[in-house]
Amino acid sequence: MPIKVIAFDADDTLWVNEPFFREAEEKFASLMEDFMPQHAIMKELYRTEIENLRLYGYGIKGFMLSMIETALRISDHKMPITVIDKIIRIGQEMLEKPVELLPGVEEVLKDLNGDYRIVMATKGDLVDQERKLGKSGLEKHFHHIEIMSEKRVSDYEKLIRHLDIHPSEFLMLGNSLKSDILPVLELGGYGIHIPFHITWVHEQVDHEVEHERFFKVAHIGEAGEVIRRL
C-alpha cells in the first residue's frame, strides 16, 4: 500500500531540545557540588528521572521535580532552602527558551504537504509541547497533532486507528530509534531515523537496526528524497 501519513517527532527532530537539558544538568551539578562530585550528581539525577517517569512522564516540569528530589537526597535534606529557588529558576529558564528550528524542517514540511497527510507525533508534557509548537510557527503544516505520554507499540496502534489507515501506510521520522522507529517497524510501518548529535541515555539503542522498511539519513532534507522513492 502507498504511504498516506507521514509523522514527525518534535524534540530534536523539528527543533532543538536535548542540549537545553544538558545545560540544565550542568547547572544543577555545579549548584550541588559541595555535596558530591559533579559526575556522581549527574548519575543520581538520571536515576531519579527514570524512577519518576511513571509518575511525572517526560518534560521539563517532571525534570524540575526530579532535580529537587535529587538535591534533597544527596544533601541529606541539609541544603539551604534557597537552593530550591535556584533549581526552580533553572527549570523556568528552560521553559522560556526560544524554539530553534533545525535546518531544512520547514522546507520539507512544505514539500510533503498536499501529497501526504502530515502529523506531529511527539511525547512529553502537553502544555510544554503545545507551547513549543505555537512558538515554532509549524502548526499550519500538520493535519493532526498527537502528544503522547509514551511511544510504545500500543500508543502507535491507537494513533494509526485514529488516522484510519493500515500500518503499512504510515511512516515515522525521528531522532530516537527506541521511541520513533522500532515500535513503528514492529507494527508494519516505515521508519526514517534522523540522528541528532546529542541523545538522552534513556533513548539510546545499543544495536544496529536492519530492516527493509528502515532508512537512516544525515539530515531532514534527505528524508523527503527517501520518501519520494518509496
Side-chain angles (χ1 to χ4, degrees):
M1 296 181 181
I3 293 168
K4 293 182 178 178
V5 174
I6 299 173
F8 289 80
D9 173 53
D11 292 336
D12 299 320
T13 299
L14 299 178
W15 52 65
V16 175
N17 180 66
E18 188 60 25
F20 299 144
F21 279 88
R22 294 296 173 89
E23 180 185 347
E25 288 170 357
E26 290 171 3
K27 288 180 179 178
F28 173 72
S30 178
L31 187 63
M32 300 301 300
E33 64 183 351
D34 288 345
F35 299 97
M36 187 179 285
Q38 289 196 19
H39 70 277
I41 293 170
M42 297 282 205
K43 290 182 179 178
E44 287 297 314
L45 176 58
Y46 176 71
R47 179 165 71 90
T48 309
E49 286 183 86
I50 297 305
E51 290 174 352
N52 285 339
L53 280 178
R54 64 183 181 84
L55 296 173
Y56 308 141
Y58 299 87
I60 294 172
K61 294 170 191 171
F63 178 65
M64 291 168 66
L65 290 171
S66 290
M67 284 193 290
I68 293 170
E69 183 179 332
T70 303
L72 290 168
R73 184 174 71 248
I74 66 178
S75 69
D76 195 23
H77 292 75
K78 294 176 182 176
M79 66 176 186
I81 192 67
T82 54
V83 171
I84 293 180
D85 284 334
K86 292 177 181 179
I87 292 172
I88 290 172
R89 185 58 197 154
I90 290 173
Q92 289 173 336
E93 288 174 356
M94 294 175 72
L95 290 167
E96 292 166 355
K97 292 282 188 183
V99 172
E100 180 184 340
L101 295 183
L102 290 168
V105 164
E106 192 145 26
E107 291 81 359
V108 167
L109 291 174
K110 287 178 180 177
D111 178 60
L112 297 174
N113 228 316
D115 296 328
Y116 306 90
R117 275 190 285 166
I118 308 298
V119 168
M120 190 182 92
T122 191
K123 66 182 178 184
D125 177 77
L126 177 63
V127 173
D128 189 29
Q129 294 293 50
E130 287 181 338
R131 174 190 62 82
K132 287 188 282 189
L133 178 60
K135 283 186 174 183
S136 74
L138 298 178
E139 190 169 4
K140 60 183 178 292
H141 296 292
F142 297 111
H143 165 82
H144 175 72
I145 308 294
E146 189 79 10
I147 300 174
M148 308 146 89
S149 57
E150 272 290 359
K151 281 183 166 178
R152 300 161 297 202
V153 172
S154 59
D155 299 298
Y156 283 106
E157 282 179 326
K158 181 181 177 182
L159 173 59
I160 288 170
R161 283 198 305 270
H162 175 79
L163 295 168
D164 194 26
I165 57 170
H166 190 272
S168 65
E169 298 171 315
F170 182 81
L171 184 148
M172 180 75 193
L173 299 95
N175 68 295
S176 171
L177 287 169
K178 180 180 177 181
S179 294
D180 301 323
I181 306 301
L182 295 179
V184 173
L185 294 179
E186 184 175 338
L187 273 174
Y190 290 79
I192 297 181
H193 182 218
I194 311 171
F196 190 65
H197 67 280
I198 301 175
T199 303
W200 188 30
V201 175
H202 184 62
E203 294 292 335
Q204 293 178 8
V205 171
D206 60 3
H207 63 273
E208 292 293 322
V209 177
E210 294 185 9
H211 197 287
E212 61 183 1
R213 295 189 303 277
F214 170 72
F215 304 88
K216 182 176 178 179
V217 298
H219 56 82
I220 200 167
E222 293 181 1
E225 300 171 13
V226 172
I227 292 167
R228 296 292 186 187
R229 294 199 299 267
L230 295 177

